[in-house]
Amino acid sequence: MLKLHDINTYYDKSHVLFDISLTVNQGEIVALVGRNGVGKTTTIKTIMGLAPIVQGSIQYKEKEMVGQKSHKIALAGIGLVPEERWIFPSLTVQQNLLMGIKPGQYKKKVGQGWDIDKCYEHFPFLKERCNQKGGFLSGGEMQILSIVRTLLGNPDLVLIDEPTEGLAPMIVEQVSNIIKEINESGTTILLVEQQLPIVLGLAHRIYLMNKGSIKWEGTPEDLQERNDIRKKYLEVS
Ligand SMILES: Nc1ncnc2c1ncn2[C@@H]1O[C@H](COP(=O)(O)OP(=O)(O)OP(=O)(O)O)[C@@H](O)[C@H]1O
Ligand SMILES: [Mg+2]
């Protein structure tokens, strides 16, 4: 579904991603892991057309995405749940949700995909608080609002960047369950996540990054067995 081939990304003269190649197959949850500053967000931004200078190829459903504007990439069916969540604090919960609807998406048949009623049905707290300003939500509620807003664009592939960052353990579990549910309802997911138990519980396959390169790939079972790899690239020494 998504294929990155030899991607190199630069911020001005600073070379940040080095020959990144990865694939995400339809139906999978693929996790991208690595310590702070290794280039996870830059990889997500590169896929979404938000990085300034990109060389290499990104094929999504066999179409080239490098060089496309990000709204075109979104319309092609890729949704982004950004690291900063991008909740508009002075807009209501409902107004925030409506921002997720993309023009032209009504080609999906009635009853298929996500609309505002289905969102409220699945996440009743959003309905209860639909007239409240986004800025008054807790961190966990903002994260769920950000995910649900992206779903309203009915993407086939969702890129989720560090959804559990800064959240209390109970909320972390809730967010993790939501990601699992979304995937089971047919949406493919590329997940950036630093909490290893979450990754091991959710991902079908894992790519491990260090200093702008992919250093290792495998299944959660493989990674559980590789103490050396975890120590070298993930654990804080
Ligand atoms: N806008 C920018 N301009 C210049 N350099 C940047 C920019 N954004 C990120 N970088 C640099 O690129 C490298 C990769 O950053 P990136 O945000 O992709 O890492 P990350 O793996 O997502 O880190 P974190 O876990 O902290 O979110 C870092 O060295 C960072 O300082
Ligand atoms: Mg990041």
CSV table of all heavy atoms in Angstrom, one decimal, residues 11 16 35-42 83 162 194, ligand 1:
chain,number,residue,atom,x,y,z
A,11,TYR,N,16.5,19.4,6.0
A,11,TYR,CA,16.0,20.7,6.4
A,11,TYR,C,17.1,21.7,6.0
A,11,TYR,O,18.1,21.7,6.7
A,11,TYR,CB,15.8,20.8,7.9
A,11,TYR,CG,14.6,19.9,8.4
A,11,TYR,CD1,14.9,18.7,9.2
A,11,TYR,CD2,13.3,20.2,8.2
A,11,TYR,CE1,13.9,17.9,9.7
A,11,TYR,CE2,12.3,19.4,8.7
A,11,TYR,CZ,12.5,18.3,9.4
A,11,TYR,OH,11.5,17.5,9.9
A,16,VAL,N,18.8,14.8,7.3
A,16,VAL,CA,18.2,14.2,8.5
A,16,VAL,C,17.8,12.7,8.2
A,16,VAL,O,17.9,11.9,9.1
A,16,VAL,CB,16.9,15.0,8.9
A,16,VAL,CG1,16.2,14.3,10.0
A,16,VAL,CG2,17.4,16.4,9.4
A,35,ARG,N,14.9,6.3,19.5
A,35,ARG,CA,15.0,7.3,20.6
A,35,ARG,C,14.6,8.7,20.0
A,35,ARG,O,14.4,8.9,18.8
A,35,ARG,CB,16.4,7.4,21.1
A,35,ARG,CG,16.8,6.1,21.8
A,35,ARG,CD,18.1,6.3,22.6
A,35,ARG,NE,18.5,5.1,23.4
A,35,ARG,CZ,19.5,4.3,23.0
A,35,ARG,NH1,20.2,4.5,21.9
A,35,ARG,NH2,19.7,3.2,23.7
A,36,ASN,N,14.7,9.7,20.9
A,36,ASN,CA,14.3,11.1,20.6
A,36,ASN,C,15.3,11.6,19.5
A,36,ASN,O,16.5,11.4,19.6
A,36,ASN,CB,14.4,12.0,21.8
A,36,ASN,CG,13.3,11.8,22.7
A,36,ASN,OD1,12.2,11.4,22.3
A,36,ASN,ND2,13.6,12.0,24.0
A,37,GLY,N,14.7,12.3,18.5
A,37,GLY,CA,15.6,13.0,17.5
A,37,GLY,C,16.2,12.1,16.4
A,37,GLY,O,17.0,12.6,15.6
A,38,VAL,N,15.7,10.9,16.3
A,38,VAL,CA,16.3,10.0,15.3
A,38,VAL,C,15.6,10.1,13.9
A,38,VAL,O,16.1,9.6,12.9
A,38,VAL,CB,16.2,8.5,15.7
A,38,VAL,CG1,17.0,8.2,16.9
A,38,VAL,CG2,14.8,8.0,15.8
A,39,GLY,N,14.5,10.9,13.8
A,39,GLY,CA,13.9,11.2,12.5
A,39,GLY,C,12.5,10.5,12.3
A,39,GLY,O,12.1,10.4,11.2
A,40,LYS,N,11.9,10.1,13.4
A,40,LYS,CA,10.6,9.5,13.2
A,40,LYS,C,9.5,10.5,12.7
A,40,LYS,O,8.8,10.2,11.7
A,40,LYS,CB,10.1,8.9,14.6
A,40,LYS,CG,11.1,7.9,15.2
A,40,LYS,CD,10.6,7.4,16.5
A,40,LYS,CE,10.4,8.4,17.6
A,40,LYS,NZ,11.6,9.1,18.1
A,41,THR,N,9.4,11.6,13.3
A,41,THR,CA,8.5,12.6,12.9
A,41,THR,C,8.8,13.1,11.5
A,41,THR,O,7.9,13.3,10.6
A,41,THR,CB,8.4,13.8,13.9
A,41,THR,OG1,8.0,13.3,15.1
A,41,THR,CG2,7.5,14.9,13.4
A,42,THR,N,10.1,13.2,11.2
A,42,THR,CA,10.5,13.7,9.8
A,42,THR,C,10.1,12.7,8.8
A,42,THR,O,9.7,13.0,7.7
A,42,THR,CB,12.0,13.9,9.8
A,42,THR,OG1,12.4,14.9,10.8
A,42,THR,CG2,12.5,14.4,8.4
A,83,GLU,N,2.0,14.8,16.0
A,83,GLU,CA,2.6,14.7,17.4
A,83,GLU,C,2.0,15.8,18.3
A,83,GLU,O,1.7,15.5,19.4
A,83,GLU,CB,4.1,14.9,17.2
A,83,GLU,CG,4.9,14.5,18.5
A,83,GLU,CD,6.4,14.4,18.2
A,83,GLU,OE1,6.9,14.9,17.2
A,83,GLU,OE2,7.1,13.8,19.1
A,162,GLU,N,3.3,9.5,17.9
A,162,GLU,CA,3.4,9.5,19.4
A,162,GLU,C,2.1,9.8,20.1
A,162,GLU,O,2.0,10.8,20.9
A,162,GLU,CB,4.5,10.5,19.8
A,162,GLU,CG,5.8,10.1,19.2
A,162,GLU,CD,7.0,10.1,20.2
A,162,GLU,OE1,6.8,10.0,21.4
A,162,GLU,OE2,8.1,10.2,19.7
A,194,GLN,N,6.9,5.5,21.3
A,194,GLN,CA,8.1,5.2,22.1
A,194,GLN,C,7.9,4.2,23.2
A,194,GLN,O,8.9,3.6,23.7
A,194,GLN,CB,8.6,6.5,22.8
A,194,GLN,CG,9.0,7.6,21.8
A,194,GLN,CD,10.4,8.1,22.0
A,194,GLN,OE1,11.3,7.4,22.3
A,194,GLN,NE2,10.6,9.4,21.6
B,1,LIG,N1,12.2,22.0,11.2
B,1,LIG,C1,13.4,21.5,11.4
B,1,LIG,N2,14.6,22.2,11.0
B,1,LIG,C2,15.8,21.7,11.2
B,1,LIG,N3,16.0,20.5,11.9
B,1,LIG,C3,15.0,19.8,12.3
B,1,LIG,C4,13.6,20.3,12.1
B,1,LIG,N4,12.8,19.4,12.7
B,1,LIG,C5,13.6,18.4,13.1
B,1,LIG,N5,14.9,18.7,12.9
B,1,LIG,C6,16.0,17.8,13.3
B,1,LIG,O1,15.9,16.6,12.6
B,1,LIG,C7,16.2,15.5,13.4
B,1,LIG,C8,15.1,14.5,13.5
B,1,LIG,O2,14.0,15.1,14.2
B,1,LIG,P1,12.6,14.4,14.3
B,1,LIG,O3,11.6,15.4,14.9
B,1,LIG,O4,12.2,13.8,13.0
B,1,LIG,O5,12.9,13.2,15.4
B,1,LIG,P2,11.9,12.3,16.2
B,1,LIG,O6,12.5,10.9,16.1
B,1,LIG,O7,10.5,12.5,15.8
B,1,LIG,O8,12.2,12.8,17.7
B,1,LIG,P3,11.1,12.8,19.0
B,1,LIG,O9,11.1,11.4,19.5
B,1,LIG,O10,11.8,13.8,19.9
B,1,LIG,O11,9.8,13.3,18.5
B,1,LIG,C9,16.6,16.1,14.8
B,1,LIG,O12,18.0,16.2,14.8
B,1,LIG,C10,16.0,17.4,14.8
B,1,LIG,O13,16.7,18.3,15.5
